Amino acid sequence: MGLTKTYKDGTTPVVAIIGAGFSGLCAAIRLQTQLDLKTFHVFELEPDLGGTWWSNTYPGAACDVASINYQFSFEPNYDWSHRFAPQAEIWAYMRRVAKKYNLYEKIRFRTEVTRMEWNQDRQKWILDYMNLATGEKSVMEADIVLSGTGPLRIPQIPKQFEAFEGPKWHTAQWNHSFDLTNKRVAVVGSGASAIQVVPAIVDKVKTLEFYQRTATYIVPRRNGAYNGLWKFMFRYVPFFHFIYFKLNYYSSEWTINAFSNKLIHRVPRMIVKMLAWVYRLWQVRNKALREKLTPKYDIGCRRIVVSSEYFPALTKKNVNVHTEAIAGVKGNTLILKDGSVQEVDALVLATGFKVQDVLPPNFLIGKNGVDVMEKWGKNPHTYYGLATPYAPNMFFLLGPNTGLGHNSVLFMIETQVEYAIKSISYMMAKNLSSLEVTHKACDDFITDLDTKMQDKVWSSSCQSWYQNDEGRVTALWWGSCGQYWWRLRKFHADRFIGTRRI
């Protein structure tokens, strides 16, 4: 059965899309191609589209998911240069796709949505927004809102580093005007960004002081180049690109078992752990350094990172690896807990993002004046990370419990957008002004989610950005991409409350 594309009177709902990263672009494109809907507006905080791939321009920035899987299924890219695409190529791909669908004319750049409130009488969202270039404030009504703000957007900057008097910046706000050549540079953090930055700058700097709070499991990155023959076969050989994509997709899907605590899945976990152990032993011959770089927690509890340059970089003579906690900062000097000090010329903070802060307080005011983020507290109450009570006609893209540790989030984004499309179509077919997910649907999802999470390594005692302050996993989906898609392949009208148009 086809999708209903208009109300009976021929009108279509006004849709507001917040964010022009992969989520926002996917939503805008599918609204056009699936519903022929033109009445949508995209709000983007930055001067250009791209989201994470616009802001993260640090040296070495690249995707740690295979390029073939990090693209829209409906817009294959046959020209990736390597198996793991660098930031510039991903951003170029996004811009090319946006231009193909004429999205630049629909995006309001340098525009911040500052508040949104549901008007029950009008059955609409009232959005307050501001043009950051002029300071002009405006108001807009929207029937439906799709929030694609993304989880990796607000840099986590510890307050203790405010006292540092020299140049300092977060990896997501890289200072390209500062020349690192022959400088003494400190890098704080040992997550995915740091693991890409360190090898990219180590040969340029005079000394690199690397501060690691927790070691990371590293597996080698086989980043082969796609030469002209590969690109020719991708583009012209029937089904070659499709088959290669599927092979990569299902090989990544299989690795979900490496995050399970079940007895039946111990073998895949041991395989990944052994690979990481052998690789570390082979790359880091210095026993004392290898001990520092050996994680003391279960594999998979934190993000497993792919890199073939990280360990060799840390073994270079101009690198000092510190595992003592930073106790204080004075001037341009970092003071460690053991009393040692390091004076540096620049400080790079690879300290991650505030993933748990989905939206700011007093931003999302839902039905009956409920502040949805305040209602959630530390525990998001959603239906598959997509919808929440008190927020009719609103869909989160890459919302709580929809991140992945094993495969491409673009699959999740497309699945969520398709569900939102079906919901909007259902509204028009049934002549509804709003749809609100039921409390029971959310309760059932959360109960099932928490039960499934007990069998996952992410729920162990090691702290990570996957968990909230209470140790509950709120960032990741518990299973495979296929399991998520299967549950959302159909729109479930019985899990929503509809209000008829007047």
Side-chain angles (χ1 to χ4, degrees):
M1 188 174 179
L3 295 169
T4 300
K5 299 181 179 181
T6 68
Y7 284 109
K8 293 179 180 180
D9 60 6
T11 61
T12 57
V14 174
V15 181
I17 302 171
I18 304 176
F22 269 117
S23 296
L25 295 184
C26 183
I29 292 169
R30 300 310 263 177
L31 284 172
Q32 293 183 87
T33 58
Q34 300 286 87
L35 294 179
D36 297 330
L37 192 147
K38 308 298 182 183
T39 52
F40 67 89
H41 307 268
V42 185
F43 296 88
E44 172 52 49
L45 188 67
E46 304 297 350
D48 206 337
L49 58 78
T52 294
W53 297 107
W54 182 89
S55 59
N56 285 272
T57 61
Y58 58 81
C63 188
D64 56 4
V65 173
S67 310
I68 195 75
N69 292 103
Y70 207 75
Q71 58 189 0
F72 292 131
S73 63
F74 51 85
E75 278 298 327
N77 181 22
Y78 306 118
D79 296 314
W80 295 120
S81 65
H82 290 79
R83 187 165 186 267
F84 295 94
Q87 174 269 337
E89 283 188 34
I90 298 171
W91 188 40
Y93 166 77
M94 297 176 77
R95 286 181 291 169
R96 176 177 65 77
V97 171
K99 290 175 182 177
K100 176 179 177 179
Y101 292 93
N102 300 315
L103 294 186
Y104 269 94
E105 63 189 44
K106 302 289 289 187
I107 303 174
R108 305 183 188 192
F109 292 108
R110 296 293 290 149
T111 301
E112 179 182 12
V113 176
T114 56
R115 193 173 188 271
M116 47 186 290
E117 183 170 359
W118 176 254
N119 187 306
Q120 182 66 13
D121 293 333
R122 294 185 57 77
Q123 290 284 288
K124 295 179 184 292
W125 285 103
I126 312 299
L127 280 70
D128 297 329
Y129 64 94
M130 179 172 65
N131 184 316
L132 298 180
T134 64
E136 180 183 358
K137 297 180 179 179
S138 304
V139 177
M140 171 190 166
E141 286 188 342
D143 299 294
I144 297 165
V145 174
L146 283 82
S147 176
T149 55
L152 305 180
R153 73 183 190 281
I154 307 174
Q156 178 78 264
I157 302 177
K159 289 187 177 181
Q160 69 179 132
F161 297 113
E162 293 177 0
F164 186 81
E165 296 179 357
K168 60 178 180 289
W169 58 86
H170 191 276
T171 50
Q173 303 163 333
W174 194 267
N175 183 359
H176 290 280
S177 65
F178 186 85
D179 186 4
L180 295 176
T181 304
N182 293 322
K183 297 295 195 303
R184 300 166 299 173
V185 178
V187 176
V188 178
S190 56
S193 297
I195 289 166
Q196 292 181 342
V197 165
V198 169
I201 68 173
V202 67
D203 291 328
K204 179 181 285 189
V205 303
K206 181 179 181 180
T207 58
L208 196 154
E209 307 293 342
F210 181 62
Y211 299 89
Q212 171 193 276
R213 184 175 61 179
T214 308
T216 301
Y217 278 102
I218 309 289
V219 294
R221 183 175 72 156
R222 297 167 293 173
N223 195 24
Y226 292 129
N227 57 25
L229 178 60
W230 274 98
K231 295 176 183 179
F232 176 87
M233 295 175 70
F234 282 153
R235 189 179 295 274
Y236 297 112
V237 177
F239 302 110
F240 182 80
H241 184 273
F242 176 78
I243 293 171
Y244 186 71
F245 161 75
K246 286 298 183 181
L247 288 173
N248 275 270
Y249 168 77
Y250 284 112
S251 65
S252 296
E253 281 286 82
W254 177 84
T255 63
I256 187 64
N257 294 328
F259 301 94
S260 172
N261 287 323
K262 292 182 178 180
L263 182 63
I264 193 174
H265 294 143
R266 283 189 179 180
V267 172
R269 282 191 68 185
M270 288 304 299
I271 290 174
V272 178
K273 187 171 185 177
M274 182 60 68
L275 174 62
W277 182 85
V278 170
Y279 182 62
R280 185 170 56 249
L281 180 65
W282 174 47
Q283 291 281 316
V284 186
R285 300 304 175 91
N286 183 290
K287 187 175 181 180
L289 178 59
R290 188 167 65 248
E291 177 63 22
K292 288 183 178 180
L293 300 176
T294 300
K296 305 299 190 295
Y297 54 86
D298 288 339
I299 189 166
C301 176
R302 292 169 176 263
R303 188 171 182 84
I304 301 171
V305 180
V306 293
S307 176
S308 294
E309 298 84 25
Y310 176 65
F311 285 148
L314 294 185
T315 62
K316 297 199 173 188
K317 293 182 180 180
N318 65 330
V319 178
N320 299 308
V321 178
H322 306 280
T323 56
E324 285 287 333
I326 298 173
V329 177
K330 186 176 182 181
N332 281 36
T333 301
L334 303 183
I335 307 167
L336 303 190
K337 193 175 181 180
D338 63 3
S340 61
V341 298
Q342 297 85 41
E343 184 178 1
V344 295
D345 301 309
L347 173 63
V348 176
L349 299 173
T351 45
F353 299 86
K354 296 181 179 180
V355 177
Q356 300 297 328
D357 296 345
V358 180
L359 291 171
N362 200 37
F363 175 87
L364 177 58
I365 307 301
K367 196 171 71 172
N368 302 327
V370 172
D371 185 330
V372 176
M373 294 301 106
E374 184 178 283
K375 188 75 174 177
W376 281 5
K378 296 179 180 179
N379 296 288
H381 190 241
T382 72
Y383 177 71
Y384 288 92
L386 259 173
T388 189
Y390 303 106
N393 293 5
M394 181 172 182
F395 300 92
F396 297 94
L397 305 178
L398 276 192
N401 288 114
T402 62
L404 298 175
H406 75 289
N407 212 334
S408 172
V409 294
L410 266 68
F411 182 96
M412 304 294 278
I413 291 171
E414 288 194 34
T415 301
Q416 292 160 3
V417 168
E418 291 302 312
Y419 195 86
I421 293 290
K422 293 169 188 172
S423 304
I424 297 170
S425 177
Y426 179 84
M427 286 176 59
M428 292 188 287
K430 299 298 182 181
N431 200 37
L432 302 177
S433 59
S434 67
L435 279 174
E436 180 185 0
V437 70
T438 66
H439 287 274
K440 183 180 186 306
C442 295
D443 291 341
D444 290 346
F445 167 70
I446 295 298
T447 299
D448 181 61
L449 174 79
D450 288 343
T451 301
K452 296 287 199 306
M453 277 295 179
Q454 294 307 309
D455 294 327
K456 301 298 179 181
V457 67
W458 307 311
S459 294
S460 64
S461 58
C462 95
Q463 293 182 336
S464 72
W465 59 265
Y466 300 153
Q467 302 173 340
N468 64 13
D469 294 340
E470 300 171 353
R472 184 173 174 272
V473 179
T474 60
L476 296 187
W477 166 242
W478 62 263
S480 68
C481 293
Q483 288 169 311
Y484 189 80
W485 171 84
W486 181 257
R487 286 160 172 76
L488 295 179
R489 71 192 187 281
K490 298 178 181 178
F491 174 69
H492 305 96
D494 60 320
R495 300 173 190 178
F496 290 79
I497 298 172
T499 301
R500 288 200 170 274
R501 296 176 84 196
I502 298 175

